[in-house]
Amino acid sequence: MDTNSIEKAYKRYANIYDLTFDRIFHHGRELSAGLLEPMPGDRILEVGVGTGLTLPFFPDECQITGIDLSEHMLTKAHQKVASHGMKNVEVIQMDAMKMDFPDNHFDSVIAAYVISVVPDPVCVLKEMLRVCKKGGRVVFINHFQCDNRLISSLERLVSPLSRHLGFKTDLELEPLLSQVPELSVQKVEGVNLYNYWKVVQGINNKDATAKEGVNC
Ligand SMILES: C[S@@+](CC[C@H](N)C(=O)[O-])C[C@H]1O[C@@H](n2cnc3c(N)ncnc32)[C@H](O)[C@@H]1O
């Protein structure tokens, strides 16, 4: 999946996104935002903010920045920010694989249902860790390839459709985590329908590998 097909897919989704994906993924968003354990004054980054469905779960006392590639999804997010009067939120167009923020800029970083959408999930996780302070929380929620053999073969079967669907169906969690050793995983919890999605909560331990900068 490349950025062009992502933009095309989410241009199609933007008008129907909330109607389709608000309620079914609601619990996961709420849980993930809570796992950031935000403190008053924290600067929080939401990667792939989409239409802004996670924004209401962040405390008013925090400074929230949401980024997304799709201008059509962001238009909806802007409308939500205005209609909810969220004065502590800004949403901007930016590629999660090449963020404009300096190192260590945010207290915590979250990505809801994004990791299987981006062309390079490892690159995005590394960028999330780069812009987050050491010791900060990094939380992401996503569907990962199922342990059940029948379901996982179905997921692999439909994976060639990912360009049209706008997300990958067969991303595996363990190989992904092994490529970001600087993320110290605290919790992995099943959530939403049949616990088919997983929330991963980690602490940014980036000095563990003493790497600076991200090259994707
Ligand atoms: C499935 S939606 C999730 C939206 C929102 N987080 C939610 O909970 O509903 C995935 C979002 O990731 C965005 N996205 C995909 N690739 C991206 C990238 N490289 N940089 C920033 N956003 C990206 C898409 O435009 C889309 O809005």
Side-chain angles (χ1 to χ4, degrees), residues 6 10 17 29 46 48-50 54 68-70 73 94-96 112-114 117-118:
I6 292 165
Y10 285 92
Y17 192 86
R29 290 187 188 98
E46 184 180 356
V49 64
T54 307
D68 203 285
L69 202 60
S70 162
M73 295 291 273
M94 195 183 292
D95 187 346
Y113 313 109
V114 175
V117 171
V118 295

Side-chain angles (χ1 to χ4, degrees), residues 27 67 118 126 158 214:
H27 179 52
I67 63 162
V118 295
K126 292 211 177 261
V158 296
V214 175

